[in-house]
Amino acid sequence: MGDSIFGKIARGELPATVVYQDDTALAFADLNPQAPTHLLVIPRKPIDRIANAEQDDEPLLGHLLRVASRVAADAGLEDYRLVINNGAGAGQTVFHLHVHVIGGRPLGWPPG
Ligand code: DGP
């Protein structure tokens, strides 16, 4: 597993408020929430960004979206936004693939 903050969380080496986990994925609360509900869904596999996911990762990527919708529902959200930032210019700061689950307030469009 890659040596990023999220890799350490996935390995249990750093604390996080985990709301879901299974063999391949983990969901936990964002440390710097941008909305009343802000969760992150990550693969245990250390893919650094969505652009570097491979064809073999397709089932895993689908699973991440299913987990995202599950944890959103578990948080009581009907309306929410899923975001994947790819690259520093798009706002990615942690280079371990993650899906933001954001909700609990009105969300404007377009995003910044
Ligand atoms: P991004 O900008 O897309 O790379 O999102 C990274 C998110 O990760 C950002 O919303 C803040 C969050 N974050 C950074 N460090 C930690 C941490 O140590 N623990 C948790 N739970 N979240 C973190």
Side-chain angles (χ1 to χ4, degrees), residues 4-29:
S4 68
I5 293 168
F6 292 173
K8 288 184 168 64
I9 289 174
R11 293 193 300 268
E13 296 170 8
L14 277 179
T17 303
V18 175
V19 297
Y20 175 88
Q21 60 181 316
D22 62 28
D23 287 349
T24 59
L26 194 75
F28 52 92

Side-chain angles (χ1 to χ4, degrees), residues 5-6 9 28-31 38 40 85 91-94 98 100:
I5 293 168
F6 292 173
I9 289 174
F28 52 92
D30 193 292
L31 201 60
H38 189 166
L40 301 170
N85 295 323
Q92 186 175 7
T93 58
V94 179
H98 49 282
H100 294 261

Side-chain angles (χ1 to χ4, degrees), residues 41-100:
V41 182
I42 68 168
R44 291 190 186 276
K45 179 178 178 182
I47 300 166
D48 67 339
R49 56 170 74 188
I50 187 66
N52 289 334
E54 298 175 342
Q55 189 163 357
D56 286 353
D57 296 319
E58 283 188 7
L60 176 60
L61 299 179
H63 183 59
L64 296 180
L65 295 181
R66 292 273 296 159
V67 170
S69 68
R70 173 181 171 154
V71 297
D74 288 350
L77 299 177
E78 288 184 15
D79 300 333
Y80 52 88
R81 183 169 296 162
L82 305 182
V83 174
I84 299 174
N85 295 323
N86 184 83
Q92 186 175 7
T93 58
V94 179
F95 285 82
H96 182 122
L97 173 62
H98 49 282
V99 181
H100 294 261

